[in-house]
Amino acid sequence: MARFTLPRDLYHGKGAIEALKTFQGKRAMVCVGGGSMKKFGFLDKIVSYLEEAGMEVKLIEGIEPDPSVETVMNGADAMLKFGPDWIIAVGGGSPIDAAKAMWIKYEYPDITFEEMCKVFGIPALRRKAKFCAVSSTSGTATEVTAFSIITDYKKGIKYPIADFEITPDVAIVDPDLAETMPKKLVAHTGMDAMTHAVEAYVSTANCDYTDPLAIFAIKMIQEDLVGSYNGDMKKRDRMHNAQCLAGMAFSNALLGIVHSMAHKTGAAFADYGAHIIHGAANAMYLPKVIAFNAKDPEAKKRYGIIADYMGLGGSSDDEKVKLLIAYLRKMNDDLNIPHCIKNYGPDSYPCEQGFVPEKVFLERLPEIAENAIGDACTGSNPRQPSRKEMEKLLKCCYYDTEVDF
């Protein structure tokens, strides 16, 4: 028996945040990241709508990119003191992911972070609060997913929390918020969404309910991402829907080792002054993982279907896989994303020598590979890599060399 779970309500289209006026409750805790939602007036609108609904409102502000375990624990403490019956998370993936983890700790104060990370092992929520996610970026789709990514900076590892319990009760997908994204964020979140859709389509947990969502999202992203990056706001609005469809797919079909590798390399070199931004990591690793997974006959067939749907040509599945990889690499070029870690600059742009020294990468490679093998996303990858294969694959992602194993 399989399961397909989405938020009960999804409000979408311009002005959709006005749906907050209809919420029923006494107290709402609004969780938000940096200053962009306040700068563009959306935070004030959200607070106003909740107050119009008769709620007392308090804020948790300044949730950082790649939210930490400490941020989660501090936010949960604030919730315990305030006692909200609605948690409203606003922004990109980081504040929504952090708020999901805070929600767990708020409902179960004695739970440890390690217990929260047990895959599909979270006890029943909604004893104290319901959860609404308002997305401002077009990539993570965490507003509709059963996942949250939290970083343990002491270990330099990003941990996925995975459980249908943290699927939001309400998602608000309002393209007005996405129109404020800076150009680099459009690129990274867009390729995150593409990776979600591709990995969901070839995942071992794919099904008749997830395939249409994944394949249609891929086509929309193909048609709209580069235009969105170049300032076409109609395409920007469509990308906000496309990423949400991709999220619906992967929340139920799960992901693969592109995400496993991105999770475990993202903060692994933070002591050298930067992170490998999640969406950029996915963009760099996706072509390599497609080449690796295509050694599996069923995965190769499904990549061929993706290529057909995208209209890439090719008379055999082998040709279609090569064309798909080439297309995705061209997208990275169009979005100013590097092809490998070696050329990944501290600002995320391509450069001749990136911020991760070769010697440091090689020293840390065995541990990164081991952590990636153990990541929650690895189990649904169509081809299960050995520890040695994972190390070889990560080397290909560092040097941008061909995957021939």
Side-chain angles (χ1 to χ4, degrees):
M1 181 177 70
R3 179 175 174 178
F4 185 86
T5 300
L6 296 174
R8 176 174 176 174
D9 292 302
L10 191 154
Y11 297 95
H12 59 95
K14 285 181 170 293
I17 57 170
E18 287 194 38
L20 293 167
K21 294 178 182 179
T22 67
F23 284 25
Q24 295 182 349
K26 294 180 179 179
R27 289 176 295 278
M29 182 72 84
V30 177
C31 303
V32 68
S36 64
M37 290 298 96
K38 181 179 286 187
K39 175 183 175 182
F40 293 106
F42 292 113
L43 183 59
D44 287 343
K45 282 185 179 180
I46 286 165
V47 171
S48 176
Y49 293 152
L50 291 167
E51 289 176 343
E52 189 175 333
M55 292 194 223
E56 181 185 354
V57 181
K58 284 198 175 181
L59 304 180
I60 296 175
E61 298 184 81
I63 295 172
E64 74 274 35
D66 304 307
S68 66
V69 176
E70 290 74 20
T71 292
V72 168
M73 298 306 168
N74 291 336
D77 286 342
M79 288 180 183
L80 285 165
K81 291 172 184 173
F82 181 54
D85 46 18
W86 272 104
I87 298 167
I88 314 291
V90 185
S94 296
I96 298 175
D97 281 2
K100 285 179 176 179
M102 292 173 192
W103 183 26
I104 301 168
K105 185 71 174 175
Y106 168 53
E107 299 236 358
Y108 293 94
D110 294 332
I111 198 169
T112 66
F113 181 67
E114 289 70 26
E115 290 170 334
M116 291 162 62
C117 291
K118 291 178 182 177
V119 178
F120 295 100
I122 294 170
L125 300 179
R126 297 164 181 83
R127 304 178 313 155
K128 295 181 180 179
K130 291 182 180 179
F131 192 99
C132 171
V134 185
S135 57
S136 68
T137 62
S138 301
T140 67
T142 190
E143 73 273 8
V144 293
T145 74
F147 298 95
S148 165
I149 307 299
I150 304 299
T151 303
D152 185 332
Y153 284 90
K154 292 177 182 175
K155 296 180 180 178
I157 296 175
K158 295 184 178 183
Y159 288 95
I161 299 172
D163 198 292
F164 287 119
E165 284 297 321
I166 61 171
T167 303
D169 298 283
V170 179
I172 297 179
V173 184
D174 187 333
D176 284 340
L177 280 67
E179 289 183 5
T180 67
M181 284 192 295
K183 198 169 184 178
K184 182 163 71 172
L185 190 58
V186 172
H188 294 161
T189 56
M191 287 308 293
D192 192 17
M194 177 64 94
T195 305
H196 290 157
V198 172
E199 288 209 292
Y201 194 74
V202 301
S203 160
T204 57
N206 75 74
C207 69
D208 291 344
Y209 296 90
T210 60
D211 281 353
L213 294 164
I215 201 78
F216 193 72
I218 289 167
K219 185 64 175 177
M220 288 182 73
I221 296 165
Q222 178 192 18
E223 292 175 348
D224 296 318
L225 175 54
V226 174
S228 170
Y229 176 74
N230 289 323
D232 185 326
M233 288 303 157
K234 287 186 178 179
K235 290 182 178 292
R236 182 79 55 89
D237 294 352
R238 278 175 51 83
M239 272 301 302
H240 210 42
N241 289 333
Q243 64 86 29
C244 188
L245 295 174
M248 293 178 185
F250 91 78
S251 185
N252 291 279
L254 308 179
L255 291 166
I257 58 173
V258 178
H259 273 76
S260 302
M261 294 156 65
H263 292 156
K264 303 320 181 194
T265 54
F269 309 101
D271 52 329
Y272 281 79
H275 280 209
I276 302 175
I277 296 170
H278 180 71
N282 283 337
M284 293 190 296
Y285 306 163
L286 180 58
K288 305 301 183 191
V289 170
I290 289 173
F292 176 80
N293 283 343
K295 304 294 190 295
D296 174 85
E298 180 61 24
K300 183 194 292 186
K301 179 181 175 182
R302 292 183 77 82
Y303 288 132
I305 294 169
I306 291 172
D308 286 342
Y309 203 75
M310 295 173 70
L312 302 183
S315 59
S316 68
D317 284 337
D318 286 326
E319 285 185 17
K320 292 171 185 178
V321 168
K322 289 180 181 178
L323 289 166
L324 177 59
I325 290 170
Y327 189 93
L328 293 169
R329 288 176 65 89
K330 176 64 165 54
M331 284 189 79
N332 286 349
D333 289 336
D334 291 342
L335 299 169
N336 208 17
I337 296 173
H339 291 298
C340 62
I341 299 170
K342 180 175 178 285
N343 299 131
Y344 183 94
D347 56 3
S348 83
Y349 292 126
C351 64
E352 188 169 336
Q353 178 55 58
F355 81 94
V356 181
E358 179 182 29
K359 181 181 178 182
V360 174
F361 173 80
L362 294 173
E363 286 172 351
R364 299 181 185 182
L365 177 60
E367 184 178 3
I368 292 170
E370 182 177 356
N371 290 333
I373 290 285
D375 188 87
C377 294
T378 299
S380 48
N381 195 68
R383 184 181 172 200
Q384 288 298 301
S386 66
R387 165 85 174 270
K388 184 177 180 181
E389 287 171 332
M390 181 60 81
E391 288 192 20
K392 288 173 70 176
L393 191 54
L394 283 161
K395 281 185 178 180
C396 291
C397 292
Y398 184 85
Y399 297 109
D400 191 22
T401 49
E402 185 178 352
V403 177
D404 58 0
F405 53 92

